Amino acid sequence: NGRRIAACMTDADLARRMRLEEPDHWMRALDSMPLTRSLMRHARAEGPIVVRPSHSRVLDPIAGENWIAVGAPPSTFDPLSSQGTAKAPRSGTFASYAIGDALTRNDDTGLRRYRTFIRDEFDSYLATRALGRTTIQTLGPRPLIPPAD
């Protein structure tokens, strides 16, 4: 039907500075991306521009009596990190061990280990993200899309 959806993933501070929720600023950003602009050249907005954050966070608690969060829900990483597709199956694998221990041995050791695994994984992600941001600041940050004046 010729409909298209466009999205811009960036840090929240850059999005605010660029004022992407305003149609003129959105179009200016789109104009600075030749390949995307060529795909969207005949498109017109069918509604307002929607701006949403994509936070990194960890669920607390991760598990309780007769339930466990598995896959993506226990923790979410910034989509720009590209870690979600590896993280969710790994979480499912470790959760299956915890569930197996709980059901076959009536032992919650696996659940405790799973909680620690999820928390440690999230802490490691935060440390890596902080290191990456430090490196970017050291090299001199340059947004891919120039901010609005």
Side-chain angles (χ1 to χ4, degrees):
N1 66 8
R3 296 172 83 181
R4 306 236 190 245
I5 296 173
C8 176
M9 292 291 296
T10 188
D11 290 328
D13 61 328
L14 293 176
R16 277 190 297 277
R17 195 170 349 134
M18 293 165 56
R19 297 172 24 205
L20 290 177
E21 72 283 354
E22 299 176 30
D24 290 344
H25 292 270
W26 173 262
M27 292 308 294
R28 184 179 304 146
L30 186 61
D31 285 344
S32 73
M33 297 176 280
L35 295 175
T36 304
R37 182 184 63 227
S38 71
L39 292 172
M40 302 297 291
R41 70 176 164 261
H42 300 298
R44 62 178 170 70
E46 293 187 7
I49 294 170
V50 178
V51 177
R52 296 285 184 264
S54 182
H55 299 291
S56 300
R57 57 181 65 167
V58 65
L59 186 63
D60 186 25
I62 294 166
E65 188 171 338
N66 297 322
W67 70 271
I68 184 171
V70 178
S75 62
T76 57
F77 297 171
D78 172 357
L80 294 177
S81 72
S82 300
Q83 294 184 35
T85 54
K87 184 183 82 57
R90 189 172 50 242
S91 164
T93 300
F94 286 111
S96 71
Y97 300 148
I99 293 166
D101 288 348
L103 293 176
T104 61
R105 295 188 220 154
N106 199 25
D107 180 0
D108 71 345
T109 304
L111 289 173
R112 288 196 311 272
R113 274 192 242 149
Y114 179 71
R115 287 184 190 106
T116 300
F117 162 73
I118 295 295
R119 185 75 237 176
D120 288 351
E121 178 187 54
F122 188 73
D123 290 344
S124 176
Y125 158 74
L126 292 178
T128 302
R129 183 180 75 175
L131 177 63
R133 288 182 177 173
T134 301
T135 303
I136 289 169
Q137 289 172 357
T138 302
L139 297 175
R142 288 189 54 190
L144 296 176
I145 304 169
D149 297 328

